[in-house]
Amino acid sequence: MSKSTKSLNIILTILVIVIAWTIFAPLEVGGKDKYIIIDGTSLLPDLVNGDLVVVREESYYEVGDVVAYNYPGIGTVIHRIIEIQGDKFFLKGDNNTWIDGYSPTVDEIYGKLWIHIPGAGKIILKLKEPV
């Protein structure tokens, strides 16, 4: 391999990494995406335990959107917006009979469902286990 071909490969590799990082960077490090492994039954049958979902920060949300937010004392919850009143969003899991007891504002919503990969969360959890 020539020196110029090697240099071009390095530049292209760096470019691909930068583009991928720009598209998929997590919220925790300044990106627009939050990665969530589903652990519950509230969005059955669409989302099941062990699914990996990525929610992406949006400029606005509307009734019907599946969004993730931080429920104080519980943690990250992913449910569907069923109503908006002023600056408050009312949410409910599709498989639940109750409306969430906490109504976040737009600033408290991590993002809207963007990518759903069935079963991928189980693989990630398995890889995190000690050998």
Side-chain angles (χ1 to χ4, degrees):
M1 184 181 295
S2 72
K3 192 172 188 165
S4 63
T5 303
K6 197 175 206 179
S7 295
L8 181 59
N9 283 342
I10 290 170
I11 291 169
L12 288 175
T13 300
I14 292 170
L15 184 61
V16 167
I17 290 169
V18 168
I19 290 170
W21 180 258
T22 303
I23 294 171
F24 296 107
L27 278 173
E28 293 80 4
V29 293
K32 290 185 163 218
D33 304 325
K34 182 158 183 72
Y35 295 77
I36 302 164
I37 297 173
I38 299 298
D39 181 22
T41 60
S42 64
L43 282 172
L44 285 174
D46 295 333
L47 303 177
V48 302
N49 281 334
D51 286 356
L52 175 66
V53 296
V54 181
V55 296
R56 175 160 274 188
E57 186 180 8
E58 298 287 343
S59 57
Y60 71 94
Y61 303 97
E62 57 191 12
V63 172
D65 288 345
V66 173
V67 299
Y69 70 99
N70 183 47
Y71 193 123
I74 293 177
T76 301
V77 171
I78 182 164
H79 281 164
R80 188 176 306 278
I81 297 172
I82 59 165
E83 186 177 345
I84 303 169
Q85 288 184 10
D87 66 342
K88 295 286 188 179
F89 291 83
F90 294 84
L91 297 106
K92 178 183 170 297
D94 295 347
N95 194 41
N96 292 349
T97 57
W98 63 91
I99 296 171
D100 294 4
Y102 183 74
S103 299
T105 63
V106 71
D107 294 333
E108 296 171 296
I109 293 176
Y110 293 127
K112 175 180 170 179
L113 180 63
W114 180 49
I115 298 173
H116 171 218
I117 306 171
K122 290 178 185 176
I123 295 167
I124 292 168
L125 291 174
K126 194 72 173 164
L127 291 172
K128 291 173 76 174
E129 289 179 5
V131 179

